[in-house]
Amino acid sequence: MFKNPIRDIQDDPPADFCPDCGGEIWPGQTTYLLYGRMVCEECYKKEILGRLNHDPRGLALELGIDMERVS
């Protein structure tokens, strides 16, 4: 029996799963270390946008962004 020389990568299992949303993480995708867990890009964006909306000054401090209070 001959093996098919053309492999369909969609038959491969994902490399990992996001611990926050359970979504599939595929080889070549970027993950982000967030509170000790490697999460997918969508969960990372959701967390950063939430923090930006809730506490922009705190996020700026963590990112090392200069701030100035205008008088």
Side-chain angles (χ1 to χ4, degrees), residues 11-41:
D11 291 337
D12 292 348
D16 206 352
F17 294 90
C18 176
D20 282 8
C21 70
E24 298 170 334
I25 299 173
W26 296 95
Q29 285 185 310
T30 302
T31 56
Y32 301 84
L33 183 61
L34 189 63
Y35 309 122
R37 302 179 320 279
M38 294 304 290
V39 300
C40 71
E41 190 166 295

